[in-house]
Amino acid sequence: MGRWICCLCSKVADPLMLLLVLALSCNPSTAATTSPSVPHVKPSYSFGRTFLGLDKCNACIGTSICKKFFKEEIRFDTWLSSHLKLPPSYLLSYSGNYTDDAKSWRLVDITRLTSKYQHDRADRRICTSLLRTKSCSLERALRRTQRFQKWLHAKRLTPDLVQGLPSPLLRCPSQRLLDRIVRRYAEVPDAGSIYMDHLTDRDKLRLLYTLSVNSHPILLQIFPDVEGWPFPRYLGSCGRLVVSASTQPLRDFYSAAPEVAADLALQLLTVLRSMGTNDLNYFFYFTHVDAGTFGVFSNGHLFIRDASTLGIIDKEEGSQLIDGQQEHRDIFSCLTADCQSAFVSCDSIREKHSLVMVCQELLPKLLKGKFVQPVQEKIDSFLQLCASGFTDDQGVNEAIATLAEILKPLRSCDSRFAYRYPDCKYSDKY
């Protein structure tokens, strides 16, 4: 082709035109250097509405942090690799990075309230039980329910509106607790009101859906860490994903050094004590604990990582549901739980409840074989007594105090425990 053009050029009468054509066409190297460069295209991160769960809204948790995702101010750890791919959608939780200024990043946990399989199964249950179809508009189906119609017309969230929901948080509700939920619901502009006038129909459905599936994000909102509650900070939700401050699960510390294990065990006892005695007169109890229930921040501070199994009894007002009455069950009662499962009676919860479970499931794995005799023998003896249950609730605080006295001297004061260092060097408290 170049030879043909050069032959054509030789017939051009104008010498200047001839030189121009020769320069651009007859010299391949010159043509390559003068061609415009291809602009650099920044790789784009495609979520898809399905991955986030936005395709299921307003049967979802919220949208308060979606902009952070789409502006790439929240990134999954896999995005730091060269592949720039989203992680598998079937995982229950993901490690992520969060920024407010695009310069400094901090770790966050990105979690689903249930597994994607459970979500999909619940979605099918909604369509098949309410509309008799395999697929449907979840929002349209849930809006038709009797419970949601009551929510639409309610001015205030009352115990009868949450009766039969599977969350332990709502097992023994008081009006004071429900007012706190409405007043501090973070997925809407803060109105500071106990009345639901500032909640749109969409907001009410999202709140009802969240309480029906998993109350973990609601607990993080109504008992924030900035007020001293032992929960990670709630940062927001997008579709069916929740973003909160990152913690490392307690299971990762089972093989920790003795002084670290002693410190975490003592913090665990402190959290249990605060759950039974606090300024707001709420009694928190666990219905289940495992190695992922508690987590540890990078500064060594222990928090409740998973609040989904926490129930609350209002010691000031008491429960406003009468035990033994006919439970109102509907589709919202069955999104994550068996519709036939029995609810725990409020009167059956004792102060020793959570401590006994922790002594059975967590403390032995954390403290076993860590210390020299006779200290280890004292710890093992106490844990056996605790795991078997106490004769009365009065002995719970005494038992916690006894184990705490054994553990205190086993801690150390150094930079590994940033949450209390260097304060521990100058205080008898530690």
Side-chain angles (χ1 to χ4, degrees):
M1 176 67 73
R3 183 176 301 172
W4 180 84
I5 295 174
C6 288
C7 294
L8 179 64
C9 291
S10 62
K11 300 180 181 180
V12 179
D14 191 336
L16 293 177
M17 182 62 72
L18 174 61
L19 290 174
L20 179 61
V21 173
L22 287 173
L24 295 178
S25 302
C26 296
N27 189 338
S29 62
T30 305
T33 56
T34 56
S35 62
S37 60
V38 178
H40 175 70
V41 179
K42 181 181 179 182
S44 61
Y45 305 102
S46 176
F47 286 99
R49 294 169 59 83
T50 301
F51 182 86
L52 293 170
L54 283 171
D55 59 325
K56 304 299 178 63
C57 282
N58 291 305
C60 63
I61 310 165
T63 56
S64 62
I65 210 166
C66 287
K67 287 183 179 179
K68 285 278 186 182
F69 277 105
F70 290 114
K71 290 169 65 178
E72 299 172 22
E73 293 175 346
I74 296 178
R75 296 186 175 189
F76 294 89
D77 275 353
T78 52
W79 283 11
L80 302 180
S81 69
S82 59
H83 296 87
L84 300 174
K85 292 181 179 179
L86 289 172
S89 61
Y90 59 79
L91 297 178
L92 191 59
S93 62
Y94 313 88
S95 294
N97 298 272
Y98 175 102
T99 186
D100 288 317
D101 55 15
K103 297 178 181 178
S104 58
W105 294 80
R106 52 191 166 119
L107 292 175
V108 293
D109 289 333
I110 305 170
T111 57
R112 301 182 187 277
L113 296 191
T114 68
S115 68
K116 190 174 186 302
Y117 168 77
Q118 289 176 305
H119 269 311
D120 292 342
R121 186 175 64 174
D123 294 343
R124 289 193 298 269
R125 185 182 294 133
I126 292 171
C127 292
T128 55
S129 63
L130 297 180
L131 298 182
R132 310 299 181 187
T133 60
K134 292 184 178 181
S135 62
C136 68
S137 166
L138 300 177
E139 180 175 356
R140 188 179 302 116
L142 294 177
R143 278 177 172 272
R144 294 181 179 181
T145 62
Q146 183 180 7
R147 186 190 294 267
F148 185 68
Q149 288 301 312
K150 289 183 178 179
W151 273 62
L152 283 180
H153 297 96
K155 293 292 185 181
R156 194 174 182 182
L157 186 60
T158 52
D160 62 294
L161 295 177
V162 300
Q163 184 182 7
L165 296 184
S167 169
L169 171 65
L170 304 171
R171 183 68 219 114
C172 312
S174 68
Q175 188 59 59
R176 185 169 70 116
L177 177 63
L178 297 179
D179 288 343
R180 189 177 183 87
I181 291 175
V182 173
R183 193 172 62 247
R184 296 192 167 209
Y185 182 43
E187 287 298 312
V188 299
D190 182 16
S193 173
I194 62 174
Y195 297 101
M196 295 197 291
D197 297 336
H198 62 292
L199 270 63
T200 64
D201 294 357
R202 175 200 64 192
D203 298 329
K204 290 182 178 180
L205 180 57
R206 290 178 180 177
L207 177 57
L208 173 57
Y209 179 83
T210 306
L211 290 172
S212 303
V213 174
N214 188 324
S215 58
H216 170 77
I218 302 300
L219 275 158
L220 270 55
Q221 294 169 43
I222 66 177
F223 298 108
D225 67 310
V226 294
E227 295 180 1
W229 298 98
F231 301 106
R233 180 166 301 179
Y234 176 80
L235 298 173
S237 300
C238 183
R240 289 180 170 179
L241 292 180
V242 178
V243 183
S244 59
S246 177
T247 58
Q248 192 174 353
L250 186 62
R251 69 170 66 90
D252 293 351
F253 294 86
Y254 284 166
S255 59
E259 61 272 20
V260 175
D263 183 84
L264 293 175
L266 198 55
Q267 287 191 71
L268 190 51
L269 295 178
T270 301
V271 169
L272 293 179
R273 185 184 292 115
S274 68
M275 290 169 58
T277 305
N278 51 73
D279 293 341
L280 293 184
N281 227 6
Y282 287 117
F283 171 62
F284 296 77
Y285 66 93
F286 285 104
T287 58
H288 171 77
V289 295
D290 58 36
T293 301
F294 295 90
V296 183
F297 284 122
S298 58
N299 65 357
H301 207 171
L302 181 138
F303 277 65
I304 298 173
R305 189 171 189 257
D306 179 5
S308 63
T309 61
L310 268 181
I312 298 180
I313 294 176
D314 192 335
K315 295 195 292 186
E316 188 172 302
E317 286 190 3
S319 171
Q320 296 192 19
L321 286 181
I322 302 174
D323 285 332
Q325 70 179 356
Q326 183 67 33
E327 293 286 1
H328 173 71
R329 297 177 187 248
D330 57 10
I331 190 63
F332 292 99
S333 310
C334 312
L335 294 183
T336 57
D338 182 359
C339 293
Q340 305 303 319
S341 60
F343 288 128
V344 178
S345 169
C346 300
D347 293 336
S348 67
I349 305 300
R350 298 288 181 265
E351 287 192 23
K352 64 181 181 180
H353 189 79
S354 296
L355 179 61
V356 171
M357 283 195 293
V358 167
C359 286
Q360 291 173 342
E361 301 295 331
L362 304 181
L363 289 179
K365 298 173 184 176
L366 186 63
L367 300 175
K368 183 178 180 180
K370 291 290 176 66
F371 309 100
V372 298
Q373 300 298 351
V375 175
Q376 186 68 55
E377 185 178 354
K378 289 181 180 179
I379 292 175
D380 293 343
S381 176
F382 172 85
L383 293 180
Q384 289 177 5
L385 175 64
C386 175
S388 62
F390 298 96
T391 55
D392 54 34
D393 290 337
Q394 186 177 1
V396 174
N397 289 331
E398 296 177 3
I400 291 178
T402 300
L403 183 56
E405 288 303 314
I406 299 175
L407 294 171
K408 280 181 181 179
L410 304 176
R411 300 185 301 170
S412 64
C413 180
D414 58 64
S415 58
R416 287 177 299 172
F417 311 101
Y419 79 96
R420 58 181 175 87
Y421 180 85
D423 295 349
C424 54
K425 294 180 64 175
Y426 309 105
S427 173
D428 294 336
K429 176 182 177 182
Y430 297 102

